[in-house]
Every structure is written in C-alpha cells, then in structure tokens.
C-alpha cells in the first residue's frame, strides 16, 4: 500500500466510528450544551411561545380577499401547553396542544423586518411567556407595545397594512377584549433617496440641501431651521383611492388669520379626487386652475426658501411623495428672487437682481424688436447699422416674421429637449442644437446671422429666471408680442407690452396683487422685497405685501447679548 492510500474496508472496520478531529468534537459538545440550555428554558414555566411564519389562516381569509396581494404574511405567536410532549412521539397531540395567542399580519414589501422583530414579535413573545401559567391568559398588546393603536373594522385594518403598519390580531377567548378586534403598530420601511443638492434651483452661496419625497424628512428639514413652537403644522388626507398626507405650515402670530382660515377652508372643501400626485394637482383642486401662463403659486424644493416665506407671513403646503413645496400667496417679485441675496452684500445682490430683470425683458422683447426693425419700421435704426444688418439676410427666401417664428420654435424645441434629456447627453444636445444647427442654418440661407444672435440673447435671458414655471411663461409671452409687432410695428410692440402689464396687474394670489409691491406701489415693500436691497439692520419691518399679523422682524436688545443663557439649556451642545 502506497503512502496516503486509504486502508481497505474489512469486516473489522465495519461499525467503528470514524476518527473525529478536536475541532469537530468541540463543535458537537457546544451544540449539546445549547440544546440542554433550550430544554432548561422550556421547563421554566412549562410553555414555549414561538413565532412561526405561515400562510394566512382560514379565519383571516377576508384579509387576503381585501388586499389581493401575494406579499401578505402572517406571524403567529403560539404557546404550547405544559402537557405537550417534548419527545419524538405524540406529534398529533403536540399540534393539538398549541394555542395561537396573536396573529401579526403585515405586507413584506412595506415593513422593516428587523423593526418588526425587535419591536413587535419579541415583546409579544415575552408577554406570552410570562402569562402562560394561567389557563386562559388575558393578554393586552398595549402593555408591551406602547405605540399600538386600537383599530375597528376590516377596512381600517387593510388601510393600516398598505400604509406600512403591522396588524396585531389577538385570538380572543370568551370575555377578553371582545370590543377591540385588533391593534396597528407602525413598522413601515420607507425607501427613497437621501437629502441632496437641489437640481432645479442651483445657487452658489446658499444652503445646499433640498426636499425629498418623504414628508417626515421635509418637516425635519424645516423644523431644524425654525426651532420655534410657533411653527404650526396641520395634516390633511386627500385622495379617494390612495389617500396622501398634505402638511399645511404657517407661523402663528406672523401669518394673517384670514389667510390661514382661507387656505384651511379650501383644503377642507376640495373635491374628492382619486389621486393627488403633486402640488400642481393640489393647487388645481383646492385653489382652482387658471388659464394664465404665469404661476400664481411658488413651487420650490429648497427649505431655505420656505423658511424665508414663512417668516414673511406666507403659508406653505407639502405633499407626501412630492419634493416641492407650494407657497401662498406669491408675487412676481418673489418668483424672481433667489436666496443668494441673503448671503451677499446689498450692492452685489441688487446688481444681480437688476441683471435678472434686464435679462427677462430682453428675452421677451429682442425677437419682437428684430422683426420691427427688419420688416415694419426700419427707420428706427441708423442707415449704416440698418445696411449691415440687412446684409446678413441676403439670400433668405422668406419674410422676417416667418424666419423669426421658425427659429423661435426651433430654439424652444432644443431647450426643452436639453432640459428633459439625460444628463449624459444633455450638454451634447445643447452644443449640437446651438452651434451646429445654427451654423448650418446660416450657411443654408435659412436664417440670418443676426437672427442667431437674437436667439442666443433670448435663450440666455430666459434662463436667468429664478423660477422654472416663470421662465415657461416668458417663453410663451414672446410669441404674441412678435405677432403684434409684425402687424403694427412699434405701436404693436407697445400695445402688446401694455396688454401684458394689464394681465399681470389683474392677477391675484389669495387676494394679493401679483405685481405687488410695484403695482400697486407700496414703498415699504419696494424697500424690503422689491428691486432695492437694503442691509439686514435696516429691514426691521416685514413687507406689507402679505399683510403679516406681526410687522416687526425683531426688537433691539433681545438677541446677541454676550453671556445670555440658552432657554433650552443646550448652549454647550
């Protein structure tokens, strides 16, 4: 026999146990100790409550029929009677001796399994083990589940399950909890993205966090900025098929009581709609839709903007599942304002604000002025400049108005495609649309080079808008202005701007003029929130545009005292 070969099995080796290594013997010895410890624990009170996942029992078939979901699960808290045999025989008697104390029903896709085990199943097992010596123990889940909420009715239990709650349904013996069919415990698991930087409202010198789709996280972001008991939060449920939570926020003592009552009444009287997915649908249902392209409510995903609005006497609405907040009332000035003004020196902030106003004016007026000069009123320009601009249109086969409308539509198509394209190809699409297509259109005599310059100025001016719906409104407004200018020249240009101004002045947002504080003129509003930016120490009064209940921002001597104690006792944290 060569080395390493196994010996031939002979009758002498049959029945002899193979040689065990020390490690194997140690593992077997440890396993036997664990088994003896479990048997000793069973003998403490003669019963062993267990949690056993299984199919939905027959008594809960109504729950499966109500949900029609295959991810419905049931964990049964069982107890074995002291007479149950522990040996291998008597399996039938053991099955008969088990008693189900609780049925814990939940949806696997909606609950946190670890939280369910630690906060629901284990406490119920411990309670069942302590009360087991009694022949018919009276078990109350509220003794070990402080957050358990009694629930009545099958529909209420089904609604709790789809919201991420676990239903604790006790097996009620005669005379025990006959009036309470079950309890609901919140163990939901909310999958979503973490707090990140805003993608629709980028700012250079401001806070970087933005709202997410979880209402609880959004309220947390606001409360960390407004640590005051005056921040009132009212919760509503909207939607018939899938109810969603809506949070109504305002500052008590700052927001006007009439405004609070008006918003509360509209939320309570809104129609019973199937599903409310965003703040835009909530606005249309509760506050009514408008045919104007200009937004009468402000949508923002920045908590800093909401905090500044609440401090000015406005109110906010947050919809669960939407990363945007609705602010009421709103004005044109508030829509075209960024938070950077609070982090920059007043001259710089005023310069940026005036640049934004100038950009929006150029974006609306540049195409119309080009059509006026080239087609209707060429005498507005000096002869030399007129000849230079006219030379760029040499070879273009159609009129100026058709050229302008064709290129404006092309610009909007390219802009919309770049906004909605994936980030990996958005920049490439912008370069192709702006440079390659523009240069090709000039070489093919489809547009003049001056028209390409006008398009570039218009695009840049539109992007200066601080609010995306406001930029869409200005993109739409330039078309009727171009049409009026092509028909009546410079007079049509003036009449179109007058009509636009009349339309903006006639708009209202919760009974607040849309063009306030410039139309009507309010001196304090112009100095505190208009085109003029004053230092913080000179803005002690809140703008009277929103009619705040408390018009004073602060009083001297209350803040900034050296050595003043923190009333919350957390000055050292």
């Amino acid at each position: 026999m060569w080395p390493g070969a196994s010996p031939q099995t002979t009758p002498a080796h049959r029945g002899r146990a193979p040689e065990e290594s020390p490690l194997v013997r140690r593992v077997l010895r440890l396993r036997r100790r664990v088994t003896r410890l479990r048997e000793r624990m069973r003998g403490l009170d003669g019963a062993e409550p267990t949690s056993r996942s299984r199919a939905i029992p027959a008594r809960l078939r109504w729950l499966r029929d109500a949900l029609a979901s295959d991810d419905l699960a049931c964990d049964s808290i069982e107890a074995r009677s002291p007479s149950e045999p522990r040996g291998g025989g008597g399996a039938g008697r053991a099955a008969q001796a088990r008693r189900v104390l609780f049925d814990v029903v939940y949806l696997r896709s909606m609950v946190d399994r670890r939280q369910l085990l630690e906060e629901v199943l284990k406490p119920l097992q411990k309670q069942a083990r302590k009360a087991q010596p009694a022949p018919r123990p009276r078990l109350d889940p509220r003794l070990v589940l402080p957050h358990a909420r009694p629930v009545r009715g099958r529909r209420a239990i089904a609604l709790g399950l789809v919201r991420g709650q676990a239903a604790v349904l006790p097996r009620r013996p005669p005379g025990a909890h006959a009036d309470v069919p079950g309890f609901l415990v919140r163990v939901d698991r909310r999958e979503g993205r973490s707090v990140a930087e805003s993608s629709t409202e980028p700012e250079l010198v401001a806070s970087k966090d933005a709202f997410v789709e979880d209402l609880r996280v959004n309220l947390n972001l606001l409360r960390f900025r407004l640590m005051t008991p005056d921040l009132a939060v009212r919760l509503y449920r909207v939607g018939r098929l899938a109810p969603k939570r809506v949070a109504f926020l305002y500052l008590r003592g700052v927001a006007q009581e009439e405004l609070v009552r008006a918003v509360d009444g509209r939320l309570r009287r809104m129609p019973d709609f199937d599903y409310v997915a965003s703040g835009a649908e909530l606005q249309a249902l509760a506050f009514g839709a408008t045919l104007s392209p200009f937004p009468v409510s402000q949508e923002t995903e920045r908590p800093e903007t909401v905090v500044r609005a609440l401090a000015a006497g406005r109110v906010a609405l947050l919809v669960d599942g939407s990363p945007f907040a609705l602010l009421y009332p709103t004005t044109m000035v508030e829509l075209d304002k960024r938070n950077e003004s609070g982090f920059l020196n007043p001259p710089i902030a005023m310069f940026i604000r005036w640049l934004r106003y100038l950009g929006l004016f150029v974006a609306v007026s540049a195409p119309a002025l080009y059509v006026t000069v080239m087609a209707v009123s060429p005498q507005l320009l000096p002869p030399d400049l007129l000849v230079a601009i006219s030379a760029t249109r040499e070879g273009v086969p159609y009129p100026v108005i058709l050229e302008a409308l064709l290129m404006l539509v092309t610009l909007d198509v390219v802009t919309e495609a770049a906004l909605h394209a994936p980030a990996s190809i958005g920049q490439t699409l912008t370069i192709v649309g702006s440079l390659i297509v523009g240069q090709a259109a000039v070489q093919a005599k489809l547009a003049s080079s001056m028209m390409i310059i006008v398009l570039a100025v218009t695009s840049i001016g539109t992007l200066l808008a601080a609010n995306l719906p406001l930029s869409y409104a200005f993109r739409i407004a330039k078309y009727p202005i171009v049409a009026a200018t092509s028909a009546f020249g410079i007079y049509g240009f003036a009449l179109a701007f007058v009509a636009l101004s009349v339309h903006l002045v006639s708009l209202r947002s919760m009974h607040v003029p849309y063009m306030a504080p410039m139309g009507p003129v309010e001196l304090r509003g112009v100095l505190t929130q208009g085109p003029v930016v004053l230092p913080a120490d000179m803005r002690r009064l809140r703008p009277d545009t929103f009619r705040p209940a408390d018009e004073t921002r602060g009083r001297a001597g209350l803040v900034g005292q050296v050595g003043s104690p923190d009333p919350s006792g957390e000055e050292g944290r």
Side-chain angles (χ1 to χ4, degrees):
M1 181 181 297
W2 59 85
S6 59
Q8 186 177 2
T9 304
T10 61
H13 292 87
R14 294 176 183 173
R16 183 181 301 177
E19 185 177 359
E20 298 177 349
S21 64
L23 180 60
V24 174
R25 288 196 299 269
R26 188 176 301 176
V27 171
L28 294 177
R29 191 161 51 246
L30 181 61
R31 183 181 298 178
R32 287 193 293 268
R33 289 181 180 178
V34 172
T35 303
R36 286 196 299 268
L37 181 60
R38 287 180 177 176
E39 293 178 355
R40 190 175 304 171
M41 292 295 293
R42 293 176 184 175
L44 290 178
D45 54 5
E48 181 193 7
T50 60
S51 172
R52 189 160 58 95
S53 298
R54 58 178 181 178
I56 302 299
R59 60 182 176 277
L60 298 178
R61 290 294 181 184
W62 60 268
L63 197 54
R64 177 179 291 276
D65 296 338
L67 293 177
S69 178
D70 289 337
D71 63 342
L72 186 66
C74 176
D75 283 356
S76 298
I77 306 297
E78 298 178 346
R80 296 186 180 93
S81 62
S83 61
E84 178 184 351
R86 298 193 183 98
R93 288 190 301 161
Q96 294 178 0
R98 291 192 182 99
R99 288 202 313 276
V100 176
L101 303 180
F102 299 101
D103 286 321
V104 182
V105 189
Y106 56 92
L107 291 174
R108 296 187 184 93
S109 59
M110 295 297 295
V111 303
D112 186 350
R113 181 64 185 179
R114 182 183 298 272
Q115 186 180 1
L116 176 69
L117 179 63
E118 297 293 334
E119 298 183 7
V120 179
L121 297 180
K122 286 186 177 180
L124 290 177
Q125 289 175 356
K126 291 181 181 180
Q127 187 193 31
R129 183 178 293 113
K130 292 179 181 179
Q132 185 56 35
R136 294 188 180 275
R138 299 174 62 88
L139 303 179
D140 192 347
R142 287 172 290 187
L143 297 177
V144 293
L145 304 177
H147 301 293
R149 179 173 59 89
V151 62
R152 297 176 180 275
R154 297 183 175 183
R155 178 170 176 79
I157 295 176
L159 286 177
L161 293 180
V162 298
R163 292 170 183 169
Q165 297 174 332
V168 181
L169 307 177
R171 289 294 304 274
R172 294 177 283 107
H177 298 290
D179 57 337
V180 180
F183 303 87
L184 290 178
V185 185
R186 188 168 188 173
V187 288
D188 59 328
R189 178 184 61 190
R190 193 72 176 264
E191 300 292 345
R193 60 187 178 95
S194 58
V195 178
E197 188 175 354
S198 173
S199 59
T200 60
E201 301 176 72
E203 295 187 3
L204 298 179
V205 283
S207 58
K208 300 300 182 182
D209 52 353
F211 288 132
V212 296
E213 287 75 11
D214 194 342
L215 180 60
R216 291 177 294 177
V217 176
N218 296 340
L219 292 178
N220 179 271
L221 293 175
L222 293 176
R223 287 195 179 276
F224 265 107
R225 286 172 168 83
L226 277 177
M227 293 185 181
T228 171
D230 292 330
L231 178 59
V233 179
R234 298 183 182 180
L235 295 178
Y236 303 82
R237 288 198 179 273
V238 298
R240 181 175 59 88
L241 293 180
K244 302 189 70 173
R245 293 180 299 170
V246 175
F248 171 36
L249 296 88
Y250 63 94
L251 279 178
R252 293 181 298 180
V254 177
Q256 193 181 24
E257 289 295 332
E258 295 181 1
L259 175 63
V260 174
R261 288 196 297 267
V263 175
D264 178 77
R266 289 174 182 255
L267 290 176
R268 294 181 182 275
R269 293 192 302 268
M270 66 178 295
D272 192 9
F273 203 65
D274 286 345
Y275 180 73
V276 178
S278 62
E281 293 185 358
L282 178 67
Q283 173 190 346
L285 293 173
F287 301 90
T290 175
L291 298 179
S292 174
F294 291 89
V296 293
S297 65
Q298 183 179 359
E299 279 191 321
T300 179
E301 63 174 350
R302 302 190 65 90
E304 189 71 26
T305 304
V306 177
V307 169
R308 292 180 180 274
L310 295 177
R314 303 165 71 187
V315 299
L317 295 176
L318 294 172
V319 181
D320 193 13
S322 174
F324 291 92
L326 279 179
L327 300 178
Y328 285 97
T330 189
T331 60
M332 175 76 75
V333 174
E334 293 294 333
L335 288 173
D336 202 32
K337 185 189 297 183
R338 289 187 180 271
N339 294 322
E340 294 175 345
S341 59
F343 297 88
L344 299 174
N345 293 331
I348 301 177
M350 189 184 305
F351 174 72
I352 295 176
R353 190 170 296 180
W354 277 97
L355 275 182
R356 191 173 292 117
Y357 294 156
L358 179 61
L360 290 178
F361 175 77
V362 170
V364 175
S365 60
L369 290 177
Y370 174 78
V371 173
T372 301
V373 170
M374 299 302 299
V376 184
S377 304
Q379 66 274 12
L380 295 177
L381 291 181
D384 297 339
L385 182 59
L386 180 61
V387 170
I389 296 177
S390 300
T392 62
R393 292 202 72 252
E394 185 178 358
V396 178
Y398 34 76
V400 178
I401 178 62
L402 185 58
E403 174 195 10
L405 292 178
L406 178 63
M407 298 309 296
L408 286 177
V409 171
T410 304
L411 173 64
D412 286 336
V413 169
V414 173
T415 303
E416 195 67 17
L419 286 176
H420 297 291
S424 58
I425 64 174
Q427 186 176 3
T428 304
L429 183 61
T430 304
I431 295 175
V432 171
S434 58
L435 296 180
I436 300 178
V437 175
Q439 184 66 24
V442 173
Q443 294 179 354
K445 301 300 181 179
L446 299 178
S448 64
S449 57
M450 190 62 191
M451 186 66 214
I452 301 300
I453 297 176
V454 171
L455 289 179
V457 173
T458 301
S459 177
I460 295 174
T462 304
L463 294 178
L464 284 176
N467 185 268
L468 184 61
L470 184 64
S471 67
Y472 276 108
F474 278 104
R475 286 167 57 183
I476 295 175
K478 64 178 180 285
Y479 288 100
I481 296 178
V482 169
T485 303
S486 64
F488 303 104
I490 192 65
Y491 300 103
F493 178 81
L495 289 176
F497 262 90
V498 170
L500 178 61
S501 302
V502 171
H503 173 70
L504 293 177
V505 171
S506 63
L507 291 178
R508 292 288 187 274
S509 177
M510 298 299 295
H511 306 291
V512 173
Y514 194 64
M515 292 300 295
M518 272 79 74
V521 178
E522 298 173 354
L523 181 59
R524 194 172 76 189
V526 172
L527 296 178
T528 54
Q529 65 172 155
V532 180
V533 180
L534 297 178
D537 58 348
M538 299 179 63
R539 289 179 283 155
R540 296 190 178 276
L541 296 179
R542 291 187 174 91
D544 54 355
T545 301
F546 308 113
R547 304 293 188 269
D550 184 7
E551 298 182 353
T552 305
R553 292 183 183 271
R555 291 174 289 174
L558 295 180
V559 182
Q561 297 178 356
V562 178
S564 59
D566 185 3
S568 63
E570 298 183 355
E571 63 275 3
R573 298 183 181 180

